[in-house]
Amino acid sequence: MKLSEGVEWAIHACALLAAVPPRAALPTRKLAEFFDLPLAYLAKHLQRLSNAGIVIARKGPRGGYALARPAREISLLDIVEAIEGRSPCFSCTEIRRRGPSGAPATAYRRPCGIARAMWKAEKAWRAELARVSLREIQAMGLAETPAAQVKKATAWMETALS
Amino acid sequence: MKLSEGVEWAIHACALLAAVPPRAALPTRKLAEFFDLPLAYLAKHLQRLSNAGIVIARKGPRGGYALARPAREISLLDIVEAIEGRSPCFSCTEIRRRGPSGAPATAYRRPCGIARAMWKAEKAWRAELARVSLREIQAMGLAETPAAQVKKATAWMETALS
DNA sequence: GGCAGGTTACTCGGATAGCGATTGTCCGAGTTGATCTGG
DNA sequence: CCAGATCAACTCGGACAATCGCTATCCGAGTAACCTGCC
């Protein structure tokens, strides 16, 4: 039960993309430089985000990635699902049917109670993630980062886009 | 982001142990037989439950496993954590400190906002799992299983304990 | 008949291989911007 | 000086290895019941 670290990378990357001016794009190379992460592997995660329709890719010179929607309309859940997949964490293998006191599927009217409980908890988790938007994440980051670092980042962004 | 199937096995096993009369114990062999699961692998998970103090192991003839506490005092969270571990799903590697606009740890007063959001969602998930007790799981299973199967299971249990 | 000791069989527990998924990496396809040439 | 075609560099995208954790298994340690022999 461990989320891949790619989730963390993807969220940070999206948060940075939220700060990119409209009509501009940030290439993988620059993103990797900003976070000091391995370029090739970060590219793989950005590719996932692209496939999920969260970011838009632009090829060629002056190309790169940009958010596909306003930051307010992107939730943490969107990003997590893009990286980790949309399949449920808990998969019911219908153990109750097996063994000496089991019965064929037709005998059971409702899904397994254990699975229902697990799925309910999972739903609560997803709901909490869906509630927080990338916009809020970005705002939090700006508010809680030392002013000196924010200035550095702003300057870096300008040189990266020029 | 996938829970190991051992979690499902452990919960089913605990639910069955909840039906065992007081002072009696059910060995791994019988549990594996009841669910038609590989004995050696199921044993590994029961071992985890034992280490976590959820079940009590009794060695020797007429030995086996029994719940360490009343079913009402065992939550799904206890079982999940016993199998999957107690470490948080999302681990923050402090990406914000890295790269050209990073700063040493002392510059940041609060934990990373992304980590806080992820942990909050995780907390909601855990809370939901902690809310449902093994007692409820057992009751659900009894209520929703066809009467014929319940009778079979009861008979099986008597022969298993004799 | 009761009791003590030894035996036996049954149980758990940790240490040990195999495999799939995540991690990590690479080069080719595609596109855009700049350049160069001719009018 | 301008327009068009060419070129070249930069970008993403999917295909390809390596490593780690989950899956699966085994045999040894320990214990409680049982059986036997003796008192």
Side-chain angles (χ1 to χ4, degrees):
Chain A
M1 181 59 193
K2 162 178 80 69
L3 273 78
S4 82
E5 66 176 348
V7 170
E8 187 185 6
W9 297 9
I11 299 176
H12 275 278
C14 285
L16 186 59
L17 287 180
V20 171
R23 316 287 299 170
L26 212 54
T28 311
R29 185 177 189 81
K30 289 294 175 185
L31 280 165
E33 179 191 324
F34 186 87
F35 294 117
D36 189 23
L37 293 176
L39 180 133
Y41 192 28
L42 177 62
K44 192 173 187 60
H45 295 308
L46 292 173
Q47 189 177 338
R48 294 264 183 101
L49 292 175
S50 176
N51 285 340
I54 294 176
V55 300
I56 292 289
R58 237 180 114 84
K59 287 187 178 180
R62 313 279 284 178
Y65 288 103
L67 293 184
R69 305 189 290 267
R72 188 167 195 107
E73 296 173 20
I74 297 175
S75 71
L76 284 191
L77 180 63
D78 295 328
I79 301 175
V80 170
E81 284 187 339
I83 302 296
E84 294 282 331
R86 275 149 239 89
S87 54
C89 305
F90 181 87
S91 62
C92 175
T93 60
E94 288 292 342
I95 286 182
R96 59 178 176 174
R97 287 190 213 159
R98 308 178 63 167
S101 54
T106 56
Y108 303 95
R109 299 294 173 117
R110 307 184 64 181
C112 177
I114 294 173
R116 293 209 314 274
M118 296 297 292
W119 289 335
K120 186 180 176 188
E122 197 178 321
K123 196 174 173 182
W125 176 68
R126 287 195 146 87
E128 196 63 40
L129 283 183
R131 194 164 296 138
V132 42
S133 73
L134 195 56
R135 178 86 186 160
E136 298 172 51
I137 290 292
Q138 190 205 8
M140 261 196 285
L142 249 62
E144 298 170 6
T145 304
Q149 314 306 328
V150 173
K151 195 165 185 179
K152 264 194 200 173
T154 308
W156 178 92
M157 176 76 76
E158 283 185 16
T159 56
L161 293 176
S162 65
Chain B
M1 181 59 191
K2 161 179 79 71
L3 273 77
S4 83
E5 66 178 348
V7 170
E8 187 185 7
W9 298 8
I11 298 177
H12 275 279
C14 285
L16 185 59
L17 287 180
V20 171
R23 315 287 298 169
L26 212 54
T28 310
R29 184 178 190 80
K30 289 293 176 186
L31 279 165
E33 178 190 326
F34 187 87
F35 294 117
D36 189 24
L37 293 176
L39 179 133
Y41 191 29
L42 177 62
K44 190 170 188 61
H45 294 307
L46 291 172
Q47 188 178 338
R48 295 266 183 100
L49 292 175
S50 176
N51 285 340
I54 295 176
V55 300
I56 292 289
R58 239 177 110 86
K59 287 186 177 180
R62 312 280 281 176
Y65 289 103
L67 294 184
R69 304 188 289 265
R72 188 169 193 103
E73 296 173 19
I74 296 175
S75 70
L76 284 191
L77 181 63
D78 294 329
I79 301 176
V80 170
E81 284 187 339
I83 302 296
E84 294 282 332
R86 278 148 237 90
S87 54
C89 306
F90 180 86
S91 62
C92 176
T93 60
E94 289 292 342
I95 286 183
R96 59 178 178 174
R97 286 191 214 157
R98 308 178 63 169
S101 52
T106 56
Y108 303 94
R109 300 294 173 114
R110 309 183 63 179
C112 176
I114 293 172
R116 294 210 312 275
M118 296 298 293
W119 288 337
K120 185 179 176 186
E122 198 178 322
K123 197 175 174 183
W125 177 68
R126 287 195 145 88
E128 195 64 39
L129 284 183
R131 193 163 295 139
V132 42
S133 74
L134 195 56
R135 177 88 186 158
E136 299 171 52
I137 290 292
Q138 189 206 8
M140 260 196 286
L142 248 64
E144 297 171 5
T145 303
Q149 315 306 327
V150 173
K151 195 164 184 178
K152 265 194 198 172
T154 307
W156 179 92
M157 175 78 76
E158 284 185 17
T159 57
L161 293 177
S162 65

